[in-house]
């Protein structure tokens, strides 16, 4: 009788006990998946965490197969369950099923849910490895013409040639703000200027330089490549400078003999490539890697394959361009709608209708495909030894989705065969899942799971400053939902090397977005971009950038307070001698914090708190836990955060390593004791704080 009563009580207890949802956790970090990036054929161990003595059984569910996990270890707070996958060869998609009495829940990348959802499955791809050096690396994006003029002898000269029907101009006032039509204005920034500032970048804490395009091109943005084989001598070295400027009364570039000599003379081209080799060597000596911008969807109308401007036409060392002759060896490189319009056939297809950006026609030219594969290999190989590619408008390449994927599979094989440690990082808006299956891109510029959600949450302004959304401003639910949705589109290893930018050359500067205004340079003028900005909000964003999973990427000048509406105003010059020194000190400190704590490089992520204009999240390993809190409200906030779910035990002290405010930041190592599993803090308005606790 006593035994029956005991069994009855046990059944009642088991049917009514409460599941500790906050303790349930798994992800694809090395803590929970070993190895985290398995090779094909590896045995893989996957773990799931629960509260100690809290649940009955955990199942590992992959497709139609459900495997009971084994309780393998525990600590003072958690139990851990494991399953081993033998000789993994195929992509593994999975979630967990947790039983606690009568309660059954699924656990996937979105957390706990009633039913499985394939969009939020955990994913492992055996054989898919991203470069270890890129995980959590601090990138620095340089738009070369606007960074630093180190060599005035290679500056584009006023009237050197014509672009878009206007003579180009040399801007002699470095501090002049961009014009609304700015593509033909050149400030003189070059690779010598970057070389001169390498020690500055090292002192800032930079690990990687990402260059906007630096190959021969006629515009200051250089997304209209003229010659993929050479660094533009205007960025490199001009050792032979013969020729004349373009006469003022014509736009005929066949008469721009100085420009033609500068960009086609082998002496200048080889000297520029040689100087670039030196720059890469000097960067590598300082532990700084180099990533180049690969513009392979389209080239430029000046390109030697098309030669619409007849830059190469009179040089017997170059073949005739496809614009000039229907017999050109490059005719198949472009799609012409009129097969009888030669010479001077302008019926080629331009990307988005831009005749200065002829779209490349890979489907009908295996020769073009092979050429670009060689370009992909060339620059990541000796003697250049760059460390990877950022791929411009990568999803647009080709004329079909099928071919696009074929091209990027081939490109990955080519680049990785030459340099297995090179990164392949794509510009992409929207869902990147189809390209992140392990055989195409390593990762993306992280708009969906970084720039856009944090911009909406902290400023309410769209990333171009084209729209204000009050319903998104301070909306923690929208922020978390967006983050979870877009993060689920990336594999773990793609996410942890994703380029996390607040600003870049295509969007407004984040500091300008803090004014909550809609505008562009042609509507409000450039000076309005500096008005009513809030550095407190900007500091919150930087704290977020340096503590979120991925590779934080600083757009040159952001660290010293550069403002600007969207392109072209976001391409202002770096203000040498007029820097915001306090913002610079703050960036250096946040980069130091980012690098000091391993949990901010490779640790797990857990949302901890979500309220109006206030969010908190944790990054953690088995050894340490970091709590980050943002208060974007215009009032002080008292926040109570359950840190037990990060592994922080009761009565442990958490050290505050930085507090930002509307006016600045402080580093006072203030400690706060965890009571009843809760970290209780009061944050001032428009502030952010980072707390750290050693767990062992």
């Amino acid at each position: 009788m006593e035994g029956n009563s005991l069994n009855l009580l046990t059944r009642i207890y088991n049917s009514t006990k409460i599941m500790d949802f906050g303790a349930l956790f798994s992800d694809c970090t090395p803590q929970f998946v070993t190895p985290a990036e398995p090779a094909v054929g590896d045995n893989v161990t996957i773990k799931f965490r629960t509260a100690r003595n809290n649940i009955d059984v955990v199942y590992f569910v992959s497709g139609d197969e459900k495997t009971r996990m084994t309780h393998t270890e525990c600590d003072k707070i958690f139990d851990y369950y494991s399953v081993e996958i033998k000789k993994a060869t195929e992509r593994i998609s999975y979630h967990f099923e947790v039983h606690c009495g009568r309660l059954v829940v699924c656990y996937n990348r979105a957390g706990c849910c009633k039913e499985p959802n394939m969009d939020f499955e955990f994913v492992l791809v055996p054989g898919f490895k991203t470069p270890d050096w890129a995980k959590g690396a601090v990138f620095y994006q340089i738009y070369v013409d606007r960074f630093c003029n180190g060599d005035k002898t290679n500056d584009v000269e006023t009237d050197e040639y014509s672009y878009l029907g206007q003579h180009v101009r040399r801007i002699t006032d470095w501090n002049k703000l961009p014009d609304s039509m700015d593509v033909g204005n050149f400030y003189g920034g070059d690779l010598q200027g970057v070389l001169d500032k390498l020690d500055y970048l090292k002192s800032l804490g930079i690990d990687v330089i990402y260059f906007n395009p630096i190959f021969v091109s006629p515009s200051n943005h250089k997304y209209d490549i003229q010659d993929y084989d050479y660094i533009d001598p205007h960025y490199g070295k001009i050792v032979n400078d013969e020729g004349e400027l373009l006469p003022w009364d014509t736009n005929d570039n066949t008469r721009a003999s100085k420009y033609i000599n500068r960009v086609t003379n082998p002496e200048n081209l080889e000297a520029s490539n040689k100087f670039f080799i030196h720059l890469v060597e000097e960067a590598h000596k300082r532990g700084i890697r180099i990533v180049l911008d690969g513009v392979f969807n389209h080239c430029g109308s000046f390109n030697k394959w098309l030669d619409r401007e007849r830059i190469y036409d009179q040089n017997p060392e170059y073949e005739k361009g496809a614009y000039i002759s229907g017999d050109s060896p490059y005719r198949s490189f472009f799609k012409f709608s009129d097969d009888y319009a030669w010479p001077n056939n302008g019926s080629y297809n331009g990307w988005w209708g831009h005749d200065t950006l002829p779209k490349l026609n890979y489907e009908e030219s295996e020769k073009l495909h092979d050429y670009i594969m060689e370009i992909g290999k060339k620059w990541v190989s000796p003697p250049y030894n760059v460390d990877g590619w950022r791929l411009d408008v990568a999803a647009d390449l080709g004329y079909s989705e099928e071919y696009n994927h074929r091209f990027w599979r081939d490109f990955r094989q080519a680049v990785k065969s030459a340099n297995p440690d090179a990164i392949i990082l794509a510009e992409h808006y929207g869902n990147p899942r189809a390209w992140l299956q392990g055989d195409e891109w390593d990762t993306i510029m992280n708009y969906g799971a970084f720039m856009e959600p944090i911009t909406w949450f902290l400023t309410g302004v769209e990333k171009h400053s084209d729209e204000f959304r009050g319903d998104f401003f301070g909306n923690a639910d929208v922020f978390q939902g967006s983050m979870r949705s877009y993060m689920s589109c990336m594999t773990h290893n793609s996410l942890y090397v994703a380029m996390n930018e607040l600003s870049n050359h295509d969007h407004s500067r984040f500091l300008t977005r803090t004014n909550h205004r809609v505008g562009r340079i042609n509507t409000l003028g450039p000076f309005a971009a500096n008005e009513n900005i809030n550095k407190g909000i900007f500091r919150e964003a930087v704290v977020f950038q340096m503590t979120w999973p991925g590779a934080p990427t600083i757009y040159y000048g952001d660290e010293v307070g550069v403002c600007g509406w969207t392109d072209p105003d976001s391409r202002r010059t770096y203000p040498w001698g007029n820097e915001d020194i306090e913002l610079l000190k703050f960036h250096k400190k946040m980069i130091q914090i980012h690098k000091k704590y391993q949990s901010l490089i490779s640790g797990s992520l857990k949302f901890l708190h979500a309220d109006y204009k206030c969010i908190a999240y944790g990054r953690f390993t088995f050894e340490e836990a970091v709590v980050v809190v943002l208060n974007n409200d215009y009032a002080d906030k008292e926040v109570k955060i359950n840190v037990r779910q990060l592994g922080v035990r009761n009565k442990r002290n958490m050290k505050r390593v930085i507090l930002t405010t509307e006016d600045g930041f402080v580093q006072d190592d203030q400690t706060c004791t965890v009571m009843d599993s809760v970290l209780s803090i009061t944050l001032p308005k428009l502030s952010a704080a980072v707390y750290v606790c050693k767990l062992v």
Side-chain angles (χ1 to χ4, degrees), residues 305-511:
W305 301 330
L306 188 71
D307 200 19
R308 192 183 74 174
E309 302 294 318
R310 295 182 179 268
I311 302 298
Y312 302 90
D313 188 30
Q314 301 305 313
N315 191 329
E317 296 182 9
Y318 291 91
E319 303 275 8
K320 291 294 183 183
Y323 175 83
I324 296 167
S325 171
D327 295 325
S328 167
Y330 309 119
R331 175 177 171 175
S332 64
F333 287 21
F334 308 96
K335 187 180 285 292
F336 291 92
S337 59
D338 188 343
D339 289 335
Y340 303 97
W342 280 282
N344 304 335
N345 191 340
S347 70
Y348 58 87
N349 186 22
W351 182 61
W352 285 85
H354 296 292
D355 63 0
T356 58
L357 303 175
K359 186 171 174 64
L360 293 170
N361 185 30
Y362 292 98
E363 282 91 334
E364 298 178 34
S365 180
E366 200 66 21
K367 179 180 177 181
L368 171 62
H369 166 278
D370 294 346
Y371 192 101
I372 294 299
M373 294 302 130
E374 291 303 311
I375 290 296
K377 291 192 290 187
K378 171 181 177 176
W379 292 100
V380 301
S381 302
Y384 305 104
N385 295 316
V386 302
D387 300 286
W389 290 99
R390 177 266 189 188
L391 307 174
D392 185 60
V393 294
D396 286 9
L397 185 141
Y399 285 95
S400 70
E401 184 176 341
E402 179 182 6
Y403 184 84
N404 181 278
H405 287 294
R406 178 220 154 170
F407 180 93
W408 292 126
R409 284 193 291 270
D410 292 348
F411 187 82
R412 182 182 185 86
Q413 290 175 2
V415 170
K416 298 287 187 176
S417 69
N419 183 350
D421 218 21
I423 194 168
I424 299 174
L425 187 160
E427 177 191 25
H428 187 69
Y429 299 85
N431 188 337
R433 183 179 281 122
W435 291 270
L436 298 178
Q437 299 299 308
D439 57 352
E440 297 182 52
W441 309 337
D442 283 321
T443 190
I444 58 169
M445 299 177 76
N446 197 3
Y447 291 114
F450 187 79
M451 184 190 284
E452 290 179 339
I454 196 60
T455 291
W456 287 120
F457 180 76
L458 291 180
T459 74
V461 178
E462 183 265 346
K463 60 185 179 295
H464 287 285
S465 293
D466 280 345
E467 181 184 11
F468 179 83
R469 290 286 301 267
D471 55 333
F472 287 0
F473 182 30
N475 190 325
D477 291 335
V478 168
F479 170 81
Q480 288 194 9
S482 297
M483 281 297 191
R484 285 192 171 114
S485 178
Y486 279 101
M487 288 168 72
S488 71
C489 297
M490 289 183 267
T491 57
H492 162 80
N493 47 358
S494 293
L495 181 66
Y496 276 61
V497 297
M499 182 180 279
N500 289 345
E501 295 184 293
L502 296 171
S503 317
N504 64 28
H505 63 293
D506 283 329
H507 304 95
S508 58
R509 295 271 183 170
F510 191 93
L511 188 53

Side-chain angles (χ1 to χ4, degrees), residues 282-306:
E282 289 300 312
H284 285 172
K285 286 178 184 177
R286 293 164 174 81
I288 298 174
R289 296 177 183 264
I290 302 292
V291 170
L292 295 183
D293 210 322
V295 189
F296 303 130
N297 166 71
H298 55 271
C299 62
S301 56
F302 281 57
N303 190 284
K304 61 186 179 184
W305 301 330
L306 188 71

